[in-house]
Every structure is written in C-alpha cells, then in structure tokens.
Amino acid sequence: MSFINVENISKTFKVAQRKSGLKATLKSFFKRKYFYIEAVKNISFQIEKGDIVGYIGPNGAGKSTTIKMLSGILLPDQGKIEINNMIPALDRQKYVANIGVVFGQRSQLWWDLPALDSFDLLKNIYKLKDDQYQKTIQELIGLLELDNIVQIPVRQLSLGQRMRCEIAASLIHNPSILFLDEPTIGLDATSKQIVRNFIKRINKERKTTIILTTHDMNDIEALAKRIILIGKGQVLYDGTIKHLKQKYGNYCNVIVTTKNILKTTNKKGIISKEKITDGYIFKIDINQITVSEFLKYLATKVKVDDVEINNESIDDLIIKLYKEFEI
Amino acid sequence: MTLYLQSLKMHFKSLLEYKSSFIIGFLSQFLVFFTYYFIIIALFDKFDNVKGFTLYEVLLTFAIIQFGYAFNEVFARGIDKFDRLIINGSFDLLLLRPQKILLQVLCSEINYIKLSRLLQAIIVLIIAIVNLNLDWNIYKIITLILMLISSIIIFLAIFLLMASYCFLTVQGLEVRNVFTDGGKNLAQYPIGIFNKYFVIIFTFIIPYAFVNYYPLLFILGRLENKILIFSPLVVLLYLFISFKTFKWGMKKYTSTGS
C-alpha cells in the first residue's frame, strides 16, 4: 500500500449553459439548461512518501479539481482516494491537520496585517505547542529569507515576498504532504530560485511528500523526477522526465553561422533545416546523432564560422505532447 | 473560543489600519439608523396608540429586534455574508483547516462598524424601559433578558438558513431579504397590530412572535401566564433546524463542488 492511493476517480460538474447578451441572461434566469463537464475521468496513481511529483497539464485539464479532491475539499463522484490510511473528504478534520496547501492564486494571509499575525492565528488553528511553533517559525523565516518581511502588512509586500510567506504559512504545522498549486506563478527569477531551493530542502530534511502543479517547466525540471501529465481529465503520461525525453525525442537546436550555401543534408538524425540570414538552424535528434558527430559531418560540407547549441526545452516537449494527444 | 477571541483581536487590528474610515462609517451608520426611530416617533405624534400599543411599547420591541439583528451583523457577519465566501473561493481554504467549519466562518469576518447600531438599540431600549413605568419584578426581568437573547438567536438561525441556501445556488438571492429585512421590518412592531395571517406566519414559519410578542404581553402585564416567560426559548428549536440544514448543505457542497 502506497502513501497516496488514487483509484479510478472521476468528477463531473454541472454547469449552467448561457449564451451571451442580456436577453439570453434574462431567459436563463427562468429556465436554465445544464450541461455536464467531466473534469476528471478515471484517474489512478500512487505516490510514495517523500516523493516530489509534478502534476502538469494545460489549463482546464483537471489539475485543480484533482488537488481539491486530494486535499479533501471535494469528494470524487466515483473511485477512491486513500492517503495515509484516511479518506480526505470524509476524515476532513483529522486529515487536513497533516497537509499543507498553497494555492498560488488565493491567499490565506490577512491582507491588512503582518504575516506574523496570520502565523499566530494558524498556530491556534492547528493547536501547536508554543516552543515547537517558535522553532518551526524561526526555521522557516531563515530558509525563506523572511526576516523583515513578516513584520510588514501583507498588502505592502511584493508578490514574491507574499508567496514566500504563503509557503511558510502552509508549513507551520509540519505537514507530511504539501500541495503546491502554481507556487511560482508571476514570480521573478530570484524569488523562483528561493522557492525552488526551499522546496527541495524541505523535501530532503522533513521527507515531506510534495505534489506540485505548475505551468513553469523549469520548476518541474528543477524539482520533480516524476511527472504526471493529464489532459482532458485523463492521465496521459506518468513517469520520469528522462524517460519522457527518450520516448518523445530528445531534440537539440544547432544554429550555424556560415557564408556557404548548403544544398542537401541526408544524414540520419537531422530532423529539420531552416535558412536564416547568415546561416542555418538545424534540429537534430541526439538519440540518433551526437552533437559532435553532427558538427564533424557539417564541417565536411561547409565552412562553419560560429555555432550555438540549444537543448530543446521541456516546454517544447510538452507542447509536442499536447499536440500528439490533441489536447 | 480562544480562536474566536483571537479573530476578534485581529479584525480589530485590521480595522485600526483604516482608522478614519472606521470613524466616519461608525458615525454615519449611527445617524442613518436613527431615522428608523424618528419615523416611529413621527407616527405617534399623530396617533396616541396603534391597536392599543403606545410609543414606548413599540420602541421596546423595535429596540429588541434591532439589538438581535445588529449583534449578528457585528459578530456573525461571516454567516451573513456567506455567499461571498463561497463565490470567491475562501470557503475552500476553510475546509483545509482542522477546525469546525461554522466556527471558522464566524471568525472570518467581524463588522465593528455595525457596533453603532447595537449601541443605538441599547440606548433606545433604555429610553423605552425608563418611560414605560412598569412595575418590574424578577419574572419580568428574566423575560426581558430572554427576549434579548432569543432575538440574537433567531437572527443567527435565519442567517444560517440563508447561508445553507448558498450551498445550492451559490448566490444568496433576494429570498433572504424577505426573511431578514422584510421579516425584521414587520417584527419590529408588536405583531398583534397586524392581521391574523401575519401572526400565524410569525408564530409558525419564522417565530418572531416568540421573540417580541408573547413575552412582551407578559412584560406589559396583559397576559399573566408564567409559561410565557420562557416562550422566547422556542427559537432554540429554530436554531437547531437551521444548524442541521447548514450541515446538510455542506455535505452537498463537498459532493458537488462549486
């Protein structure tokens, strides 16, 4: 039995159908047509204690719905969720004492007060002991570099500062599972870096299981070994990033500056060739041809003035996947 | 309880961030709601009594209802504005805390500005009592206290009932105003002045009559039966029903979502 067990869960929402315009709105006031959206269809997965899993998919794929079910806000229509031997939505009070949730777009801090006040309230909500609370809070403040920030009213903080406070707030009670719903949305590079390092560290030191949804593939690459890709409410891929790369091509862009004209290339592993003003862009598959082999081959054809090599980002890979599954 | 007290403190601290706005709000509310009382005074300037009830008797019931309503507006504002919690998704965050939901909803908002209304109700209550020239005894004092408490409870129950409704339609809709504002406006007067259908509605559907009519008759000495002292306690039943409805609505929410 794994730590987190999700078996064939489904969730359907009833949504009122309404055309635009005042007339249609008035009409729908009296008589409404409903249609059903299957937000999540038959999703299953297991997660072990201490794992970091990236839960990704395009907008509207069912990520947030799954997080809501995992965190006990919603009960699935069908299927079963068992986490730490509890059923989240049914054992709510007991279960949530042991999880932390950060919704990137929703704040749990008091807008007009310093974050420290919100932390104090959380201390009472989770019924924490004084010494233990002080220890955790000091540790979190240190790791997230919040020294002066927690004294300032939240409304005066920058987005990055606020997000770091949010993350601290979700970990005050030392939960064994942390759900992060788009934790780096809208953050600058430095804040992202602090957040990522912090997540890694928490995972390592406290063995916190972390489930992360994000659209920023750098987050995933930096943090999660395993990803679960969902689209249209179904699991499309579940496995390591490395395996994903092998399976769906590990491409590399090579930008070559040359004055010569290249007529034909017929080497295995070259996916595409594009002419630009002072040279060419090649896309090569490094599972089939290494970069050095490719350059050696190229040197026999033209005089290479300059070379720039870019690995295909995981973003491109995901776009490719979306295309393949037509989501 | 400590959680609620701490929330009171934090809401107060938040309030202090906007001091002048609070003072202006408090004063304007204080002035605006006096117009309610002026209307009654103007009415009684023309007529000596309404169906046998005098000015100060009406002011007494008026103040009791205002007291209960204002009390809830201050301390149970979270339930009053429950539709907002559901719409903006804050309710989901409450579900993530290991505490009773209703307690958290109560903690979520405190409206100190409405203290002005509460203060006003207390002032009018005192004016009415002083001018009524009743011979007070221990029974009547107990009755009055129970009336005040039941006034708080009945509005809490109505707010809860309306909040339960939000689980189903997301929006509070205007139905609520029929119960709260509409009902309250009528119940501010001794219910005996209305025709019998209203008396039936306010006895069996929304039991306002138990808050400010039957016990009132006892205080005024028009009815002698001592059982009327405890008639305000009927609203506890109403609260119980509202509470159950709320629980049912919450179950519905987690199984359907927003």
Side-chain angles (χ1 to χ4, degrees):
Chain A
M1 195 80 165
S2 305
F3 189 57
I4 296 177
N5 284 287
V6 176
E7 272 172 48
N8 299 315
I9 54 166
S10 300
K11 185 86 202 165
T12 307
F13 291 114
K14 189 165 135 183
V15 180
Q17 193 175 27
R18 190 190 293 161
K19 292 191 188 79
S20 64
L22 184 65
K23 207 178 144 195
T25 309
L26 284 174
K27 210 170 138 193
S28 75
F29 187 78
F30 297 104
K31 198 182 166 195
R32 277 192 190 179
K33 275 188 191 157
Y34 292 99
F35 62 97
Y36 293 87
I37 294 178
E38 281 189 286
V40 169
K41 278 182 274 191
N42 262 326
I43 285 187
S44 302
F45 54 79
Q46 272 96 41
I47 296 172
E48 299 301 330
K49 198 169 167 53
D51 281 358
I52 302 183
V53 174
Y55 199 65
I56 56 174
N59 291 325
K63 294 191 301 285
S64 293
T65 308
T66 316
I67 295 286
K68 279 185 178 179
M69 287 193 281
L70 289 176
S71 56
I73 295 173
L74 294 178
L75 195 68
D77 292 339
Q78 275 149 34
K80 203 174 99 183
I81 301 178
E82 209 178 310
I83 300 176
N84 202 4
N85 297 320
M86 282 180 273
I87 296 169
L90 299 183
D91 306 319
R92 190 187 69 81
Q93 277 203 45
K94 198 171 143 217
Y95 171 72
V96 295
N98 213 4
I99 64 166
V101 184
V102 177
F103 289 115
Q105 323 217 40
R106 226 173 255 167
S107 180
Q108 54 177 331
L109 302 169
W110 287 52
W111 190 241
D112 291 319
L113 298 179
L116 211 50
D117 282 317
S118 295
F119 296 165
D120 280 341
L121 187 70
L122 287 170
K123 176 196 159 207
N124 280 335
I125 286 176
Y126 288 106
K127 297 173 186 147
L128 303 176
K129 287 205 183 71
D130 217 24
D131 50 337
Q132 189 205 346
Y133 164 73
Q134 287 303 339
K135 205 182 129 213
T136 319
I137 250 339
Q138 288 316 321
E139 194 188 333
L140 289 171
I141 286 174
L143 288 175
L144 284 162
E145 301 174 28
L146 292 173
D147 291 314
N148 302 311
I149 295 170
V150 288
Q151 321 269 3
I152 304 169
V154 172
R155 64 162 192 274
Q156 288 167 358
L157 298 180
S158 73
L159 187 62
Q161 292 170 333
R162 210 188 79 205
M163 185 57 72
R164 272 141 62 195
C165 291
E166 296 277 356
I167 292 176
S170 68
L171 285 166
I172 277 178
H173 54 298
N174 244 318
S176 59
I177 309 171
L178 180 62
F179 295 98
L180 297 166
D181 195 6
E182 306 191 25
T184 57
I185 194 163
L187 301 193
D188 65 22
T190 326
S191 295
K192 272 184 185 173
Q193 204 55 50
I194 296 174
V195 168
R196 281 179 200 148
N197 288 340
F198 175 76
I199 293 172
K200 257 192 233 170
R201 185 145 174 188
I202 282 290
N203 170 258
K204 207 170 160 192
E205 285 177 4
R206 299 193 190 174
K207 296 273 169 281
T208 311
T209 310
I210 294 167
I211 295 173
L212 172 81
T213 79
T214 181
H215 290 291
D216 185 338
M217 290 308 150
N218 295 323
D219 285 350
I220 296 286
E221 233 163 348
L223 294 170
K225 285 196 194 75
R226 174 179 167 199
I227 59 170
I228 297 174
L229 173 73
I230 68 163
K232 287 183 180 164
Q234 285 166 308
V235 175
L236 302 176
Y237 175 81
D238 182 353
T240 60
I241 294 175
K242 210 171 143 196
H243 178 247
L244 188 73
K245 279 187 173 169
Q246 282 165 1
K247 193 170 168 194
Y248 293 99
N250 203 354
Y251 295 166
C252 187
N253 289 320
V254 185
I255 303 166
V256 180
T257 313
T258 176
K259 291 191 186 74
N260 304 58
I261 290 177
L262 188 63
K263 286 199 182 77
T264 51
T265 47
N266 50 1
K267 186 106 174 145
K268 207 178 154 207
I270 299 174
I271 307 295
S272 66
K273 181 186 85 173
E274 190 188 333
K275 175 90 179 90
I276 51 173
T277 34
D278 51 356
Y280 297 91
I281 299 178
F282 293 95
K283 185 173 267 185
I284 61 169
D285 181 353
I286 46 181
N287 291 338
Q288 294 182 49
I289 183 168
T290 63
V291 178
S292 63
E293 272 169 15
F294 171 73
L295 288 178
K296 223 182 273 168
Y297 165 75
L298 204 66
T300 62
K301 297 259 176 185
V302 293
K303 184 173 171 291
V304 178
D305 293 337
D306 193 13
V307 177
E308 197 185 321
I309 299 163
N310 296 320
N311 273 320
E312 188 190 41
S313 69
I314 190 162
D315 272 322
D316 298 327
L317 195 64
I318 294 298
I319 290 169
K320 222 156 60 188
L321 272 175
Y322 287 174
K323 268 189 195 147
E324 184 171 327
F325 291 111
E326 294 174 350
I327 52 175
Chain B
M1 196 63 197
T2 45
L3 199 61
Y4 187 72
L5 289 178
Q6 198 184 5
S7 298
L8 281 181
K9 211 170 82 190
M10 283 179 68
H11 281 291
F12 191 68
K13 272 205 236 169
S14 298
L15 188 77
L16 291 181
E17 294 279 316
Y18 307 95
K19 254 178 275 177
S20 47
S21 148
F22 170 70
I23 293 168
I24 293 167
F26 188 91
L27 289 178
S28 63
Q29 290 262 329
F30 197 76
L31 293 175
V32 165
F33 283 107
F34 260 122
T35 57
Y36 278 8
Y37 299 99
F38 286 144
I39 290 168
I40 298 179
I41 293 168
L43 187 73
F44 279 90
D45 198 36
K46 293 273 179 217
F47 310 98
D48 275 350
N49 65 69
V50 179
K51 285 218 178 167
F53 289 96
T54 65
L55 171 63
Y56 291 110
E57 289 166 3
V58 171
L59 281 183
L60 181 70
T61 47
F62 207 95
I64 286 170
I65 289 292
Q66 286 292 340
F67 172 81
Y69 188 72
F71 189 92
N72 280 290
E73 273 199 309
V74 178
F75 297 106
R77 185 68 163 181
I79 299 176
D80 187 19
K81 295 287 167 200
F82 190 70
D83 49 343
R84 277 199 301 212
L85 280 184
I86 295 269
I87 290 169
N88 70 22
S90 317
F91 185 72
D92 289 351
L93 292 180
L94 301 187
L95 285 170
L96 296 172
R97 304 274 165 71
Q99 290 284 349
K100 296 260 183 260
I101 288 299
L102 211 49
L103 174 66
Q104 293 191 66
V105 175
L106 277 175
C107 292
S108 73
E109 212 176 330
I110 307 286
N111 189 350
Y112 285 107
I113 285 182
K114 299 282 181 182
L115 275 176
S116 60
R117 219 166 154 177
L118 194 62
L119 183 69
Q120 209 171 48
I122 293 169
I123 293 172
V124 174
L125 185 74
I126 292 168
I127 293 174
I129 290 172
V130 169
N131 285 288
L132 267 175
N133 289 323
L134 293 173
D135 41 341
W136 287 94
N137 57 34
I138 183 76
Y139 300 114
K140 289 188 179 178
I141 291 170
I142 292 174
T143 313
L144 184 69
I145 291 169
L146 285 180
M147 281 171 88
L148 288 171
I149 294 172
S150 69
S151 175
I152 295 172
I153 292 175
I154 195 169
F155 285 110
L156 183 65
I158 290 170
F159 282 3
L160 255 183
L161 214 54
M162 294 303 115
S164 322
Y165 189 68
C166 297
F167 284 124
L168 303 181
T169 64
V170 179
Q171 259 175 49
L173 221 88
E174 284 302 299
V175 178
R176 57 170 299 144
N177 288 338
V178 176
F179 283 87
T180 51
D181 285 354
K184 179 183 56 111
N185 285 339
L186 293 176
Q188 284 168 147
Y189 300 92
I191 284 156
I193 66 173
F194 301 114
N195 83 25
K196 66 172 189 240
Y197 296 109
F198 280 103
V199 179
I200 290 171
I201 288 173
F202 286 135
T203 302
F204 295 107
I205 299 180
I206 323 168
Y208 281 121
F210 291 102
V211 176
N212 71 348
Y213 185 59
Y214 301 124
L216 178 78
L217 296 179
F218 179 80
I219 289 189
L220 298 179
R222 301 198 185 171
L223 290 174
E224 297 287 337
N225 194 342
K226 286 215 172 60
I227 206 159
L228 290 174
I229 298 172
F230 300 102
S231 58
L233 296 179
V234 169
V235 295
L236 285 175
L237 183 71
Y238 201 57
L239 181 66
F240 179 76
I241 294 169
S242 302
F243 184 68
K244 285 288 169 203
T245 315
F246 185 82
K247 283 231 148 168
W248 171 79
M250 212 172 78
K251 220 172 192 171
K252 188 113 181 145
Y253 179 82
T254 43
S255 57
T256 55
S258 48

